[in-house]
Amino acid sequence: MLVEKDRFLAELAKLFERQRQSGTVWVTHKRHVLKKKCQVTGIDAGESCCLIRAKGGKRKLSTLISHKDAVKFQITYSTIMKGQLDGLKRHAAAKSKSASSRKLKE
């Protein structure tokens, strides 16, 4: 579902909250050149922009960001992403080398 950038960010935050305990949120970025004017975002035809898609569970979101709005969008987007990094799991530390491999080196 193509939505306006502010609504996309709000829905993305909600999507992360829903998927926090179990689930995954996929976010993809892609360069895109419009063939006709976008009614939702107001970007003109022929203008290059960034298509951003998010998917979590059965919920899908997408938005178009023009190069003029990219910096402001990126700041808000990074704030949302940083807020969600606390739910990551730590990987177990790698085990030390076995005694037999240490003997081979000596």
Side-chain angles (χ1 to χ4, degrees):
M1 170 169 72
L2 185 65
V3 295
E4 198 256 341
K5 64 182 181 238
D6 294 328
R7 184 171 173 209
F8 176 83
L9 291 169
E11 291 291 327
L12 182 64
K14 289 178 188 176
L15 189 62
F16 274 120
E17 289 301 320
R18 276 190 230 125
Q19 299 292 327
R20 181 173 283 288
Q21 294 301 321
S22 65
T24 304
V25 177
W26 294 90
V27 181
T28 59
H29 302 246
K30 178 181 175 181
R31 184 175 182 266
H32 186 69
V33 178
L34 292 175
K35 295 180 182 175
K36 61 181 183 176
K37 183 174 180 174
C38 180
Q39 299 297 323
V40 175
T41 58
I43 300 173
D44 294 327
E47 188 176 343
S48 62
C49 57
C50 183
L51 174 64
I52 301 176
R53 296 180 183 141
K55 182 181 180 207
K58 295 182 180 181
R59 181 85 170 138
K60 293 181 182 179
L61 298 168
S62 61
T63 191
L64 292 169
I65 305 299
S66 68
H67 65 280
K68 299 170 194 169
D69 300 329
V71 174
K72 189 188 320 182
F73 179 84
Q74 189 66 31
I75 291 169
T76 309
Y77 174 73
S78 65
T79 303
I80 292 171
M81 294 301 286
K82 286 176 187 176
Q84 301 304 320
L85 289 178
D86 62 350
L88 296 176
K89 294 179 183 176
R90 256 192 173 217
H91 290 287
K95 294 182 179 179
S96 64
K97 295 182 180 179
S98 65
S100 61
S101 64
R102 280 190 233 138
K103 289 180 183 178
L104 292 174
K105 287 186 177 180
E106 294 175 358

